[in-house]
Structure formats: C-alpha cells, structure tokens
Amino acid sequence: MNQTDGTPVWFMRQAGRYLPEYLEARGSRDVLALSRDPEVVVEITLQPLRRFDADAAILFSDIMVPLAAAGVDVRIEPGVGPVVGDPFRAPDDLSRIGPFDSAEHAPYVSEAIRLLVKELPVPLIGFAGAPFTLASYLIEGGPSRDHRRTKRLMRDEPSFWVRLMDRLSEMALSHLRSQVEAGAAAVQLFDSWAGALDPESYRRHALPWSRRILEGLADLDVPRIHFGVGTGELLPAMREAGAEVVGVDWRVPLDVAWERIGDGGAIQGNLDPTACLGSWEACEREALAVLERAGGRPGHIFNLGHGVLPETPPDNLARLVDLVHERTAR
Ligand code: CP3
C-alpha cells in the first residue's frame, strides 16, 4: 500500500468508462479484445492512478477472460454485460470448455502483469470470477435477475453441476496462481451474484468450490479478498471460505458486517457507488458515515460496495481518496 499508515483505499472498476481517457483508449474494441493486448492493459490500469492516490491498482481484464481463452463463445455487450452464444443446458455442453492453463492459454494476462509491476507505485490486485457467478453466465446466457435456470440446474442435476463447478474452480485457480507468479500482490475472487442464494444453498452449491480456490492459493502467501453483492446473510459462510478479507456491498452497515464475519477478519467496502454520482458534499457525508462505522479498526480497506458507475465524476473519487487518507492518518 501507499504506506498511508491509515485506511487503504481503492475502487472496483477504478479503470473504466467514467474516465474519458479510457473511452479514448478503448476505441471500438470490447473488454475481451482489450484484455488480450498487454500494452493497452498497462495503459488502462495506470490511468486512474494518474488522477488519484489509490493504494492499489486492479488489473484491467474481465472475469470472462479465461472462458473466452478456453474457447467458449462469449462476448461483452455494451450496456448489457457478458453474453454466451450458446448457453450451457446439458452435460455435453461441458465439452465446449477447452483446456485452460492460464500461462499457456491466456499468456497476455501474465505478460501485462509483468509489465505493470515494473511501472506501478502501488501493489497490483489480480482477480478471477468465482464458479457460481461464472456458471450463472454460462447457464443463463447473460445477466439474469433471478438466476432461475442456474438454480434449477444446481438442484436438479447435481452431477452436471459438480462437474461444471469443478471445471470453473480449476480454471480460476490456474488463473489466480499465474497472476501471482507474474507479480500480483493480492487477489480478489469476485462472486458477484452469490447473493442470489440462501445461506444453505450457498453452503452446499457454491462455497465448497470457492473454498477450494482460496485454499489452493494459501501457499502463495498473498492477501485474498472474497467479494459478492447482496451477501449480507452469507457473510459468516463466506468467511469460512478462507479469504483474509471479505468484501461487502452497501446494503449491510459496515459494523454489522464486521460482527457477522467475526473478530480477526478484515473488511473491504462499502460506500454505495451512487453516493459518488452527484455533489461532493453528499459523497463526503456518506463516506464519513462508512468510516464512522469502521471505527478506525485495523483491517478496513475502503472501497465502494460495487464497481464505479460510468456517470461518476472522476473528481469525486480523487477527493474521496484524499478524504479517507486524511481522516484515517495515524
Ligand atoms: O475493477 C476493475 O477496474 C478491473 C476491471 C474489471 C472489469 N470487469 C472490466 C470491465 C473487473 C474486475 C471486472 C470483473 C467483472 N466483470 C465482474 C465482477 C465484478 C462486478 O462488477 O460484479 C463481472 C460480473 C463482470 C462481467 C461484466 N463485464 C459486466 C457485468 C460488464 C458491464 C457491462 C456494461 O456495459 O454495463 C462487463 C464489461 C466490463 N468489464 C467493462 C469494464 C471496464 C465495461 C466495458 C466497456 O463498455 O468499456
């Protein structure tokens, strides 16, 4: 970290559409194409750090990159998200995921990381999608409000579900290990849609595979962050998956979230991203409320509760970074 001695701060989606320089670098390419070009990845990852003193950078890439590299027909549609050409509905569909060894099939990711760590003044966070969230995109064919096909399949076709989750967790583990080997100083496992599950279903159908990934990184000795949206009721279970840090969205007050993960856990979050859309005064007020709930405890990483929204004025984020640093300086 920037050796702030206070609370470190970075933002999910800190590189992206709210920055005019990102839109310019992107041109007409989609995230998957951009991710395959290490020089572009370096440029886009560095862009937000030229505007503010975040304590970490997150690699510019996408959770769908390994599946695309393994031959799955996936594209990212603007304003929609990942769309899978031929959604997975039957066990035979598994054969459409080709071999995936990150260093071999997505070499551009480690290459970008090797270039980045030479230039970065702060640690780089690598990441992967967690199996439940990736399975949902494969099965639904795109973003879904209720994940109905995914949940039906996980309950009615246990052997297909287990094989799919086994495969997705192997891929994520390979991808995260190779990112750390290339120089990533921390990793985040994004289980963005896990909050669609009740705690019992989460424990049975998702947690074992996320735990397998997180435990498979233990020997690398890097901090592991485990994040999902709408996971208020899942926090104790997520803590059991083994990460040092649990990321929480804005729906759970930070102090309540802390009680749920228990002492000794660290928390990342959790300002509502919409709080940054308007006046600085409103953003500041809500950010101070988050810091108040964190109560100066060590182990708080300040972040938004989900990614930066495209309409966010960049200056609000710059002021937010300074505010967190000033108010938590020790
Ligand atoms: O956080 C970062 O700055 C790193 C880059 C990053 C991207 N995607 C770039 C991106 C990360 C960490 C991701 C992870 C990701 N991708 C997740 C997990 C985090 C989360 O938001 O819950 C998910 C669910 C995805 C799938 C995905 N890819 C979505 C939902 C979208 C947005 C679609 C839209 O247009 O609203 C994408 C596209 C995407 N990934 C963009 C970026 C910067 C926008 C692409 C563009 O239009 O330029």
Side-chain angles (χ1 to χ4, degrees), residues 12-17 22 26 31 58-63 76-82 127 137 190 192-193 306:
M12 295 184 275
R13 293 274 162 89
Q14 71 186 10
R17 287 172 294 182
Y22 166 76
R26 175 184 76 171
V31 195
I58 179 157
L59 176 73
F60 181 80
S61 186
D62 195 83
I63 58 168
I76 308 283
E77 271 188 20
V80 179
F127 69 90
Y137 282 120
F190 281 99
S192 301
W193 314 138
H306 201 178

Side-chain angles (χ1 to χ4, degrees), residues 63-273:
I63 58 168
M64 302 308 283
V65 162
L67 284 166
V72 173
D73 172 16
V74 53
R75 57 187 190 284
I76 308 283
E77 271 188 20
V80 179
V83 173
V84 174
D86 193 1
F88 282 38
R89 300 281 156 84
D92 279 356
D93 293 329
L94 281 170
S95 64
R96 286 194 272 123
I97 308 180
F100 181 77
D101 172 80
S102 182
E104 187 181 341
H105 300 100
Y108 36 83
V109 172
S110 348
E111 175 60 18
I113 292 176
R114 280 190 291 271
L115 296 171
L116 265 169
V117 293
K118 285 188 218 154
E119 300 201 28
L120 273 171
V122 291
L124 179 69
I125 301 172
F127 69 90
F132 177 79
T133 292
L134 295 176
S136 173
Y137 282 120
L138 289 176
I139 295 164
E140 307 291 340
S144 167
R145 192 172 301 166
D146 52 18
H147 308 267
R148 62 180 75 174
R149 288 194 164 93
T150 310
K151 290 161 84 170
R152 196 179 94 183
L153 193 150
M154 105 194 162
R155 294 188 175 107
D156 286 356
E157 299 195 52
S159 73
F160 179 14
W161 181 256
V162 164
R163 284 170 61 208
L164 177 59
M165 296 292 278
D166 282 351
R167 197 65 233 287
L168 294 171
S169 51
E170 278 163 24
M171 293 173 74
L173 183 56
S174 164
H175 201 47
L176 291 171
R177 289 191 69 91
S178 89
Q179 290 175 65
V180 174
E181 279 154 15
V187 292
Q188 178 155 327
L189 186 63
F190 281 99
D191 209 351
S192 301
W193 314 138
L197 295 169
D198 63 278
E200 203 179 319
S201 298
Y202 175 76
R203 280 182 196 279
R204 182 175 314 163
H205 301 293
L207 171 66
W209 290 273
S210 292
R211 179 193 283 138
R212 198 183 292 176
I213 296 165
L214 292 164
E215 284 178 355
L217 298 164
D219 61 306
L220 296 178
D221 217 21
V222 292
R224 296 160 290 179
I225 309 167
H226 189 187
F227 168 79
V229 179
T231 55
E233 299 302 324
L234 304 182
L235 293 174
M238 285 179 74
R239 173 87 172 115
E240 286 165 32
E244 283 74 20
V245 186
V246 177
V248 287
D249 80 6
W250 62 93
R251 292 173 181 86
V252 197
L254 200 75
D255 48 339
V256 175
W258 222 312
E259 273 167 35
R260 292 185 184 175
I261 71 154
D263 290 340
I267 289 217
Q268 175 173 285
N270 69 345
L271 180 64
D272 185 338

